């Protein structure tokens, strides 16, 4: 199934030839000679500093070859193969894409292996929804599946990990299902208890959070629909997981493997990850049928202002009755991460990881295989560079993760399994999930990587305008690329950053797309709407690949902690405005000053070292020591205790937000304390928030301390 025009033949660095043996022997003798005849006044000459002279030129040379070897043809071919059949995690069809990706890496001569995990997944068995009209007693079956897809191995629309259950009750409209929506309903005198809630996606809450909230308000079941420009794709239904947190629910905090420890299904640690009431997704058409039949108070104006259907006038409950049934099963399945490695020639024990998930709800052309095809193309082009003599300074790892859609399971289990190795050796993690959803470049990053992202986007052509780079496109509109921060728990960077403290980037073209998690997310959709000429795929491959080349090859890691300082200061200002002086943020402000001094100092040191031409014998070691400080500073933000009630999340700057629609997507511990203590008395409340402020301050100080590199 592989395309024969791109299979290079090359030797593996792992199989040393006779010549490399002689070379190493010669080096050894030279080094021995140097050591024995050390002359303190003369500059020792070893092989590494000489190579350093060529680094800049070499790197530029290979970057240019990398950029010019882009091919929309190979990208589209990979995507076509990956999307021929649906490939939901844990199903036989998904093994096809596993083997496709593995044989691609194998054919390029990369060291490739599968990392299998045994985890709990969830599938639907039966679902039905009937509406009963009280006026005439007649019942109608409401459609739950997507027209025309059920025969092709596409899974029925469902919510993974929803409990099985049934309900016979009146429907009530909950808007987005946020706390303020329930308050509005109470204001209208609407009693939601015992009803079946209908809500629309998009209020900034996860599926798990809205279902849990509905359960807390006494609803019997939840139906969710997605608005948007789905008119071209009538009947599309958005699947998704309703599990809380991430990773295998039966092996929380450790890697799930066959024969390893597993919690029991009825363990409270497991059951609290699943909602208490059942839920199902609906097409917007089906939702409209129900919502149009509602009587009772009028929909609040605030809700209807940004609602697409003008036909929804009242919130209910009733008068129709809904008969809701969902039956699902939770099953242990084996999932497969595919790993491919290019061993670093000078620092093989420093890792740069490029990751993307492979599993999809349906055909997955956008989500996630646009990213997979880009990953495969980067591997192809890196193999080409290797044939031309390139070998990266640091080790590059390609990760193709499984079961992301169920809750980032493949990547989380892998990170848990390799935690100490990653903590001590990973320089950065570069994630791409949906590489292309539409127009416009978007990125998320930890702030020390901002500058690198800007530099790289200056070198990659904007796929949607002529003769201009992605970076310049923003410049002409007087904007700069708006880099998001990685607080979301919505793709595979979560475990790397929020658990292991690895500096991370997440890239994508287009913000959202109408066929999200539906059976319409197919190769045809990509060809017709998403990226007809695959030029946006080419652009993402350029940015992702150049980021990787810099992080793998730059003698000094391209991290600027002054950006982190500026961002932390901005976060602190936002928090300060919110708290209106009730809590002292001085500990954080002082810690930021510390970090600023350390960041300025290390920037100077880095500059000096990169201009150092003296070829001193400790040069390699000095760079290594500096790089270690740059790499480990991010780990300083981790805290062994983790977030309150979410101990697995260790990062105190970026992590999951526990507050409805909060704009504060940083300092998750502080924001969590603010919401948790809302109804406590003043002293208790201030104490809890102040404690979290101190924890953030200490985290920033730890990072500063690592950057400084010395002991206190
Ligand atoms: C992982 O799964 C694949 C596919 O089932 C299998 O061929 C392989 O032997 C497994 N690897 C290990 C190490 O268990
Ligand atoms: C029963 O009433 C509903 C709503 O009033 C209507 O849509 C439906 O067609 C009626 N069914 C029959 C069989 O009359
Ligand atoms: C409503 O539909 C229009 C296009 O028909 C779309 O641009 C807009 O985002 C939709 N609004 C919502 C809230 O879904
Ligand atoms: C509700 O639906 C289920 C499943 O389709 C069916 O078995 C049951 O009889 C229905 N209940 C009522 C009251 O219509
Ligand atoms: C882009 O550059 C080419 C070659 O330099 C030139 O012929 C063309 O007119 C340029 N297009 C635009 C829109 O500037
Ligand atoms: C862009 O910013 C510059 C100065 O920052 C200003 O002079 C110019 O008018 C702005 N252009 C637009 C299109 O807003
Ligand atoms: C690649 O882009 C060229 C134009 O630059 C276009 O003619 C060709 O059809 C594209 N190939 C694919 C497979 O989309």
């Amino acid at each position: 199934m592989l395309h024969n025009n791109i299979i290079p033949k090359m030797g593996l660095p792992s199989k040393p030839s006779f010549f490399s043996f002689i070379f190493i022997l010669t080096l050894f003798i030279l080094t021995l000679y140097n050591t024995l005849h050390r002359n303190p006044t003369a500059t020792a000459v070893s092989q590494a500093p000489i190579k350093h002279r060529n680094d800049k030129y070499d790197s530029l040379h290979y970057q240019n070859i990398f950029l010019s070897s882009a091919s929309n043809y190979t990208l589209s071919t990979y995507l076509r193969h990956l999307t021929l059949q649906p490939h939901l995690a844990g199903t036989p069809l998904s093994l096809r894409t596993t083997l496709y990706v593995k044989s691609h890496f194998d054919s390029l001569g990369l060291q490739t292996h599968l990392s299998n995990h045994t985890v709990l997944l969830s599938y639907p068995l039966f679902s039905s929804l009937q509406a009963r009209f009280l006026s005439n007693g007649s019942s109608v079956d409401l459609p739950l599946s997507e027209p025309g897809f059920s025969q092709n191995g596409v899974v029925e629309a469902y919510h993974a990990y929803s409990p099985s259950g049934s309900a016979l009750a009146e429907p009530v409209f909950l808007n987005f299902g946020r706390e303020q929506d329930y308050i509005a309903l109470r204001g209208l005198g609407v009693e939601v208890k015992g009803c079946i809630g209908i809500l629309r996606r998009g209020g900034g809450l996860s599926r798990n959070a809205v279902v849990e909230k509905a359960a807390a308000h006494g609803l019997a079941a939840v139906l969710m629909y997605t608005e948007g420009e789905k008119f071209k794709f009538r009947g599309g239904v958005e699947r998704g997981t309703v599990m809380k947190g991430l990773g295998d629910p039966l092996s929380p905090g450790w890697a799930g493997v066959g024969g390893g420890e597993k919690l029991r299904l009825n363990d409270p640690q497991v059951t609290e990850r699943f909602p208490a009431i059942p839920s199902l997704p609906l097409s917007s058409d089906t939702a409209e049928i129900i919502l149009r039949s509602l009587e009772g108070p009028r929909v609040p104006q605030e809700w209807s202002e940004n609602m697409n259907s003008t036909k929804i006038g009242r919130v209910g409950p009733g008068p129709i009755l809904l008969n809701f049934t969902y039956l699902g099963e939770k099953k242990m399945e084996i999932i497969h991460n595919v790993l491919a490695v290019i061993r670093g020639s000078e620092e093989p024990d420093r890792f740069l990881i490029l990751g993307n998930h492979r599993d999809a709800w349906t055909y997955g052309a956008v989500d996630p295989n646009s990213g997979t095809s880009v990953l495969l193309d980067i591997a192809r082009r890196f193999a080409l560079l290797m044939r031309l003599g390139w070998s990266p300074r640091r080790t590059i790892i390609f990760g193709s993760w499984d079961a992301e859609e169920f809750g980032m399971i493949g990547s989380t289990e892998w990170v848990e399994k390799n935690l100490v190795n990653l903590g001590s050796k990973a320089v950065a993690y570069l994630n791409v999930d949906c590489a292309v959803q539409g127009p416009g470049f978007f990125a998320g990053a930890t702030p020390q990587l901002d500058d690198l992202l800007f530099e790289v986007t200056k070198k990659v052509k904007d796929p949607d305008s002529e003769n201009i780079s992605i970076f310049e496109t923003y410049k002409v509109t007087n904007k700069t690329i708006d880099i998001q921060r990685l607080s979301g728990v919505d793709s595979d960077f979560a475990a790397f950053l929020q658990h292991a403290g690895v500096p991370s980037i997440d890239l994508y073209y287009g913000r959202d797309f109408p066929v999200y998690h539906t059976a319409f997310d197919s190769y045809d959709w990509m060809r017709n709407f998403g990226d007809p000429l695959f030029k946006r795929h080419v652009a993402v491959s350029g940015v992702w690949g150049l980021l990787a080349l810099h992080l793998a090859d730059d003698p000094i890691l391209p991290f600027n902690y002054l950006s982190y300082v500026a961002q932390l200061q901005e976060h602190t200002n936002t928090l300060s405005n919110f708290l209106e002086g009730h809590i002292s943020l001085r500990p954080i402000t002082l810690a930021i000053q510390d970090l600023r001094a350390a960041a300025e100092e290390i920037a100077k040191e880095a500059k000096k070292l990169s201009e150092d031409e003296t070829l001193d014998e400790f040069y390699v070691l000095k760079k290594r020591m500096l790089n270690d400080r740059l790499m480990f500073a991010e780990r300083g933000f981790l805290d062994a205790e983790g977030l309150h009630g979410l101990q697995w999340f260790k990062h105190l700057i970026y992590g999951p937000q526990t507050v409805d629609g909060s704009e504060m997507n940083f300092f998750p511990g502080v924001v969590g304390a603010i919401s948790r203590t809302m109804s406590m008395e003043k002293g208790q409340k201030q104490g809890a928030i102040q404690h979290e402020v101190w924890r953030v301050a200490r985290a920033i100080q730890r990072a500063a301390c690592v950057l400084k590199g010395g002991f206190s």
Side-chain angles (χ1 to χ4, degrees), residues 191-249:
E191 173 62 77
V192 298
K193 210 166 169 184
C195 294
I196 295 175
I198 317 270
L199 57 84
R200 48 177 176 151
R201 295 276 297 132
L205 293 182
S206 68
R207 288 181 203 88
N208 171 272
V210 286
V211 182
E212 288 292 34
K213 215 171 260 303
H217 284 278
L219 284 119
V222 172
L223 296 165
M224 285 180 213
Y225 71 100
T226 311
E227 290 184 310
E229 27 160 1
K230 286 224 164 89
F231 53 94
K232 282 199 187 96
F233 309 97
R234 286 229 98 115
V237 186
E238 180 189 313
R239 294 154 185 80
T241 183
V242 290
M243 180 172 72
K244 179 156 99 187
L246 73 183
D248 175 26

Side-chain angles (χ1 to χ4, degrees), residues 701-712:
Q701 258 160 5
R702 279 196 297 272
C705 187
V706 177
L707 268 194
K708 281 185 210 146
F711 288 106
S712 65

Side-chain angles (χ1 to χ4, degrees), residues 77 112 142 157 233 262 338 401 495 554 708:
T77 310
T112 308
L142 298 176
F233 309 97
K262 293 283 176 191
V338 185
W401 316 122
D554 285 5
K708 281 185 210 146

Side-chain angles (χ1 to χ4, degrees), residues 82 85-98 152-154:
L82 289 161
Q85 286 168 310
H87 42 285
L88 183 62
T91 64
L93 283 179
S94 83
L95 202 55
R96 215 194 112 257
T97 57
T98 306
N152 303 335
V154 172

Side-chain angles (χ1 to χ4, degrees), residues 132-140 293 320:
R132 271 218 305 193
F133 300 95
L134 292 185
S135 52
N136 52 22
S138 78
S139 275
V140 288
S293 75
I320 64 165

Side-chain angles (χ1 to χ4, degrees), residues 512-526:
D512 43 29
F513 59 108
V515 296
Y516 174 67
H517 288 190
T518 73
F520 298 99
D521 182 3
S522 65
Y523 184 79
D524 283 349
W525 187 85
M526 188 60 84

Side-chain angles (χ1 to χ4, degrees), residues 45-55 615:
V45 177
S46 70
Q47 87 290 3
I50 291 168
K51 189 162 174 36
H52 147 73
R53 287 237 149 115
N54 291 324
D55 275 339
L615 306 184

Side-chain angles (χ1 to χ4, degrees), residues 561-607:
Y561 276 90
L562 286 165
S563 308
Y564 227 128
V565 168
Q567 183 65 82
L568 287 169
Q569 190 55 57
E570 211 180 302
H571 292 337
T572 309
N573 296 345
T574 308
L575 180 63
S576 168
N577 289 339
F578 180 84
L579 291 171
E580 296 173 333
H582 292 301
I583 306 284
S584 167
L585 297 183
R586 197 167 154 72
I588 297 185
T589 312
L590 290 177
I592 292 176
Q593 281 172 21
D594 251 19
L595 186 66
R596 179 179 291 114
E600 279 166 358
E601 172 58 30
I602 202 164
K604 265 188 238 148
E605 282 180 55
K607 188 159 186 293

